[in-house]
Amino acid sequence: MHTATKSSKIDISLEKNTEFISKKFSNYIKKGDIIFFYGEIGVGKTTFIKYLINNLQNKNKLNLTEIPSPTFNIVNEYKINEIIINHYDLFKLKDPKELYNIGLFENNSDVVTLVEWPEIILNKPKNIIELYFSYEDDFKERKLEIFSEYRKEIINEFK
């Protein structure tokens, strides 16, 4: 098994840092990418995704939309010109068998798939980028680490 290449810990304690890193990260997104977002509630996963999608909308001269967490819907879809982004939140799922009903890994080559709470996924696809959000220093700081064997150029950009 390959050891994933990882970035350094990135400080995202301030929301403006989260926005900056997310915008920078959005420059590397391409069709077929599957991005897993790990971390506790409130650590910044959905905020990161909001800035990522809004930046792609802005770069494509589209109106910015609200980017809510799809906790209740399970998935929200965004069309940004030729890019379709499926934003999943698997927090409410309790059994891996429930994944078969939501189309999580269907047509992956044509979309960007963002997955919050991917811990329930037993068989990870090969083309993933993993973002780990964490609290540090008694919840005073938030950090981000990016792992990927699939997209090493992203890791190199965030070292």
Side-chain angles (χ1 to χ4, degrees):
M1 181 174 179
H2 293 285
T3 302
T5 306
K6 72 174 189 168
S7 69
S8 303
K9 285 190 175 185
I10 303 164
D11 184 2
I12 57 166
S13 300
L14 299 174
E15 189 169 339
K16 69 180 183 177
N17 293 358
T18 303
E19 179 180 11
F20 175 79
I21 296 300
S22 181
K23 283 181 177 182
K24 186 175 176 181
F25 185 82
S26 73
N27 293 323
Y28 293 91
I29 300 301
K30 64 181 185 178
K31 288 181 182 179
D33 284 346
I34 299 171
I35 306 165
F36 286 179
F37 294 81
Y38 297 92
E40 296 178 52
I41 290 175
V43 76
K45 299 180 302 289
T46 304
T47 300
F48 187 96
I49 290 169
K50 173 186 85 166
Y51 286 123
L52 186 148
I53 293 171
N54 282 164
N55 187 57
L56 292 172
Q57 291 170 328
N58 191 40
K59 285 189 340 187
N60 286 278
K61 298 178 179 25
L62 299 172
N63 291 330
L64 302 185
T65 60
E66 184 178 344
I67 310 296
S69 174
T71 302
F72 298 104
N73 300 351
I74 307 293
V75 64
N76 290 337
E77 182 178 283
Y78 303 91
K79 186 163 179 16
I80 303 171
N81 292 343
E82 301 302 316
I83 300 172
I84 294 175
I85 298 176
N86 288 330
H87 175 197
Y88 291 87
D89 185 325
L90 307 181
F91 183 76
K92 293 186 344 181
L93 302 184
K94 302 301 176 213
D95 186 332
K97 293 177 186 172
E98 294 176 275
L99 295 171
Y100 297 114
N101 298 326
I102 62 173
L104 181 60
F105 296 127
E106 295 174 9
N107 302 320
N108 281 28
S109 61
D110 295 331
V111 300
V112 174
T113 304
L114 310 177
V115 183
E116 293 187 62
W117 303 100
E119 291 84 352
I120 195 168
I121 299 169
L122 301 178
N123 297 314
K124 294 181 183 179
K126 292 186 186 329
N127 55 331
I128 62 170
I129 304 163
E130 297 175 291
L131 279 67
Y132 287 84
F133 294 77
S134 61
Y135 289 111
E136 296 193 7
D137 193 23
D138 289 330
F139 296 93
K140 294 176 187 163
E141 294 180 3
R142 290 180 298 126
K143 302 286 183 174
L144 168 63
E145 287 184 277
I146 304 170
F147 292 78
S148 183
E149 188 64 32
Y150 159 69
R151 296 286 304 277
K152 292 178 184 177
E153 73 277 11
I154 293 175
I155 304 306
N156 293 332
E157 185 62 33
F158 291 94
K159 284 203 173 207

